[in-house]
């Protein structure tokens, strides 16, 4: 049987020869392996096969990789009394994150026999709270103390870490559930007496007594508390409370809810249904502290309460002027955990941020940014810049967790705050070895999303990642690959870096069936740096996976198209799955229609195309289109014959031996001097630029004076059309080394094609130029630092520049 050409260190064969797809990939065994406890994108796998390749998706039994969504600092303490079901549904959503492990309790009310004492009926729970179980499982398999320490560093409490800010002020105790509040443990015998009393006097206790029972039972040892919910006599207590829900005082009702948190109630428990309904009815008679505390308890219970939150937001909108600083920060936290952004509060939130910005603690700044990020709340550039100004001055004193939350919002706002990014490059590399893998991912993703390249950050990330790679979720692995590919950076340890991530992608294949966007993200990042792991590509282009992409909340057709066409051009020996021709054609038409409306009409491209027609002699000699539609950017295509003359080829404008028109372009000494000197303060017109992914403070475009090197050929060169003759290139532009002529792909670039403030091409545009050359084109760029300043110059200057670019003698040596 054939074997897969795959080794642990994935050699660079992927750049030239892709991996074999004719053999079965064996599932790798691993220690302590099972489906990970909590994953943003998890899914159990079924092995998939394709006609051209047999791929066994890696889903080894008992494989476990931890998901630790928000703790990024090694010093973060891990709580040992975690509530059941770490991280579940958002407060304001009915959606529960797939793959979320929860403690599921069953209610057995069928037994009417006498029950043994509490010590016997409340055994140790079958399921420990999720965090404790996760830590125990991981530590039991750790072979060394170092491995155990690494597991602890990567493990965190996804509920408690976002709440660190609450420890900074005593006022938060009145608006949030304090898990660390010291409580005297209730003796087991007293707990048994309470349950006996409930069974004996069913329905006869007063509301105050029932509330006291809940308070006391919630102080039992943790093992008994966890099992209590499935105890029939306790269910009787819950039923009595639900029936008398309107008779409780507000303070008693809040105490019952807090007791439910300590007793690890499942989110859908009937008593919680009754409590939510009653709290919604009482909102307008409660104090703001109480309302925020109740909302916080719902978060701790992982219960979605959209109706309650809507009423809470209406209440706070009417009492906004009365909000204290802690109440405001807690409200933003609740907004984030509920994944809801109340439109009528947006302006008030911004003004309050500015009001308190100088007195917020750094943890509160991070909490506000996280709340805005989770709720997808838009924020003005002005407010985001003020936050960034504050952070960059105190970054050294800021916890990594809070800093990462600010970076998330910076990324979401598309804010290119250069002082903050520079300070990040000074502060964060030293912290990387002690940061959780997901924190590292968010730091890296922020840099790539803002097109900001800092080699110190990227190299440090690359060096630390291989030892942490098994903690990567599918999303993390994909985002790392995308970030490095987007910035077109291959680190010093590139083979170890890429091989470890590709291996992790194989291990996570089962998750990509549920979350296909992550597989395509990772594969495109690899394609940018000319790496094509064929087994993964074969799976991604297979019919089953393509069908999965149709169910994604993201538009993935363009990504499939880019991957498929890149493989077609750069991997001629590939024999795996391909997109169906019908789908290929459908996506092509979609991309071209978009280009007609959004790309071809950009002012800098329209101007270049119009002037090129004049330089060449007519529209039949030039075509403004996408040579490679899958790269999603346009080209000005020009063909030159072996004698250097333009060749008419545009089928939309057919001609037969048409003579080029005279355009009256002369490169004289005077004109060359004018171009070379230029004006130092010329800036490209704002309306002519493509909206770059990084707005704000950008390096000023070089002036026309910097065109000297590009234009300085022979100052005495003159191109003077004579009557009755076509425009001739300089004598040296002869295509003797390329007898069939040359095809030019002229790129009108903009800032968004490059890393921030540099001339470093981004991965997609590097891929495009590489593929154009592979198809026989000579790439000619009109770089934005040359072309945009010229847009304000005279027509004659622009014509002269384009003439030089098209008839540059250096093109022929590259074409040959």
């Amino acid at each position: 049987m054939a074997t897969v050409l795959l080794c642990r260190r994935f050699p660079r064969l992927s750049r030239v020869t892709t991996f074999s797809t004719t053999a079965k990939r064996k599932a790798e065994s691993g220690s302590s392996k099972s489906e990970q406890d909590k994953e943003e994108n998890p899914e159990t796998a079924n092995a998939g096969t394709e006609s051209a390749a047999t791929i066994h998706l890696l889903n080894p039994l008992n494989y476990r990789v931890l998901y630790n969504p928000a703790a990024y600092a090694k010093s973060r303490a891990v709580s040992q009394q975690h509530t059941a079901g770490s991280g579940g549904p958002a407060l304001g959503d009915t959606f529960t994150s797939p793959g979320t492990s929860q403690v599921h309790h069953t209610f057995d009310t069928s037994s009417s026999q006498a029950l043994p004492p509490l010590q016997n009926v409340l055994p140790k729970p079958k399921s420990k709270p999720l965090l404790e179980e996760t830590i125990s499982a991981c530590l039991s398999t750790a072979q060394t103390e170092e491995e155990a320490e690494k597991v602890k560093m990567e493990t965190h409490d996804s509920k408690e870490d976002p709440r660190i800010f609450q420890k900074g002020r005593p006022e938060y105790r009145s608006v949030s559930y304090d898990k660390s509040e010291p409580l005297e443990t209730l003796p087991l015998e007293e707990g048994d007496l309470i349950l006996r009393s409930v069974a004996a006097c069913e329905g006869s206790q007063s509301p105050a007594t029932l509330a006291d029972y809940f308070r006391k039972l919630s102080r039992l040892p943790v093992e008994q508390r966890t099992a209590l919910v499935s105890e029939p006599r306790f269910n009787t207590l819950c039923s009595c409370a639900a029936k008398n829900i309107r008779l409780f005082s507000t303070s008693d009702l809040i105490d019952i809810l807090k007791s439910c948190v300590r007793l690890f109630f499942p989110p859908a428990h009937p008593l919680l249904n009754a409590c939510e309904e009653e709290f919604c009815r009482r909102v307008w008679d409660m104090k703001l502290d109480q309302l925020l505390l109740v909302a916080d308890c719902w978060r701790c219970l992982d219960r979605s309460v959209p109706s309650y939150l809507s009423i809470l937001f209406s209440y706070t909108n009417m009492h906004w002027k009365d909000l204290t600083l802690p109440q405001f920060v807690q409200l933003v936290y609740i907004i984030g955990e509920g994944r809801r952004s109340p439109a009528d509060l947006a302006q008030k939130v911004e003004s309050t941020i500015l009001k308190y910005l100088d007195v917020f603690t750094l943890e509160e700044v991070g909490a506000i940014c996280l709340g805005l990020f989770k709720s997808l709340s838009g924020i003005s550039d002005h407010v985001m810049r003020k936050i960034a100004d504050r952070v960059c001055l105190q970054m050294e004193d800021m916890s990594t967790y809070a800093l990462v939350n600010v970076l998330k919002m910076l990324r979401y706002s598309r804010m290119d705050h250069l002082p903050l990014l520079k300070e990040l490059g000074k502060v964060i590399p030293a912290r990387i070895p002690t940061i959780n893998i997901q924190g590292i991912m968010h730091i890296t993703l922020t840099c790539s999303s803002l097109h900001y390249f800092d080699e110190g950050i990227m190299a440090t990330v690359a060096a630390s990642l291989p030892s942490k790679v098994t903690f990567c979720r599918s999303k993390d692995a994909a985002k790392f690959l995308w970030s490095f590919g987007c910035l077109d950076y291959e680190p010093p340890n590139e083979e170890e870096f890429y091989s470890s991530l590709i291996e992790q992608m194989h291990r996570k294949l089962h998750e990509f069936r549920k979350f296909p966007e992550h597989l395509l993200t990772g594969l495109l990042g690899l394609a940018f740096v000319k790496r094509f792991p064929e087994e993964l590509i074969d799976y991604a282009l297979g019919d089953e996976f393509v069908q999965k992409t149709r169910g994604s909340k993201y538009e993935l057709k363009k990504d499939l198209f880019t991957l498929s066409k890149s493989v077609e051009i750069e991997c001629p020996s590939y024999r795996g799955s391909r997109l169906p021709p019908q789908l290929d054609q459908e996506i092509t038409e979609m991309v071209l229609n978009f280009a007609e409306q959004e790309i071809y009409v950009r002012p800098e491209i329209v101007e270049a195309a119009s002037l090129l027609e004049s330089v060449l002699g007519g529209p039949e000699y030039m075509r403004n289109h996408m040579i490679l539609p899958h790269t999603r950017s346009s080209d000005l295509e020009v063909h030159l014959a072996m004698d250097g003359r333009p060749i008419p080829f545009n089928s939309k404008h057919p001609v037969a031996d048409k003579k080029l028109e005279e355009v009256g372009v002369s490169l004289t000494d005077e004109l060359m001097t004018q171009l070379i000197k230029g004006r130092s303060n010329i800036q490209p017109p704002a309306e002519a630029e493509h909206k770059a992914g990084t707005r704000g403070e950008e390096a000023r475009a070089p002036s026309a004076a910097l065109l000297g090197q590009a234009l300085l050929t022979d100052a005495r060169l003159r191109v003077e059309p004579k009557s009755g003759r076509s425009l001739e290139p300089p004598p040296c532009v002869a295509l003797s080394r390329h007898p069939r002529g040359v095809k030019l792909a002229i790129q009108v670039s903009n800032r968004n094609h490059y890393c921030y403030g540099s001339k470093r091409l981004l991965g997609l545009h590097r891929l495009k130029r590489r593929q154009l050359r592979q198809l026989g084109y000579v790439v000619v760029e009109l770089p934005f630092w040359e072309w945009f300043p010229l847009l304000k110059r005279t027509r004659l200057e622009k014509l002269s520049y384009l003439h030089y670019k098209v008839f540059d003698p250096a093109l022929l040596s590259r074409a040959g």
Side-chain angles (χ1 to χ4, degrees), residues 108-115 199 232-233:
D108 182 7
T109 57
S110 60
S111 175
S112 59
Q113 299 179 358
L115 296 172
R233 292 177 297 179

Side-chain angles (χ1 to χ4, degrees), residues 74 138-139 141-155 433 464 466-468 470-471:
K74 184 175 181 180
C138 291
L139 294 182
T141 63
Q143 299 178 357
T144 67
E145 185 176 337
E146 182 180 353
E147 290 178 7
E149 184 64 26
K150 183 184 296 186
V151 170
K152 286 183 179 179
M153 185 181 73
E154 295 291 337
T155 306
S464 65
S467 64
K468 297 170 171 277
T470 54
F471 292 98

Side-chain angles (χ1 to χ4, degrees), residues 477-490 498 502 505 512 516-533 536-537 540-541 545 549 554-568 570 579 629-632 762-768 770-771:
K479 295 298 187 182
F480 278 123
L481 291 172
W482 170 266
S483 296
F484 277 73
C486 176
L487 297 176
D488 192 39
Y489 178 64
E490 297 187 77
Y498 280 109
I502 293 173
M505 294 279 280
F512 296 131
E517 62 272 10
H518 297 330
L519 178 58
L520 293 178
T521 293
L523 290 178
L524 286 177
L526 286 167
F528 293 162
V529 292
K530 205 176 181 181
R531 292 176 183 267
F532 299 93
L536 294 175
I537 292 169
L541 297 181
F545 184 81
T549 64
Y554 302 101
E555 173 53 68
L556 301 179
K557 289 181 180 178
K558 292 179 181 179
D559 290 343
L560 280 171
F561 187 49
T562 300
L563 178 64
S564 177
K565 290 300 182 182
S566 294
V567 171
E568 183 178 317
E570 301 202 55
L579 288 184
H630 65 278
T631 61
R632 312 172 201 178
L762 295 173
L764 177 61
H765 303 285
R766 181 76 68 188
L767 171 143
K768 174 183 177 178
R770 184 176 72 233
Q771 292 178 2

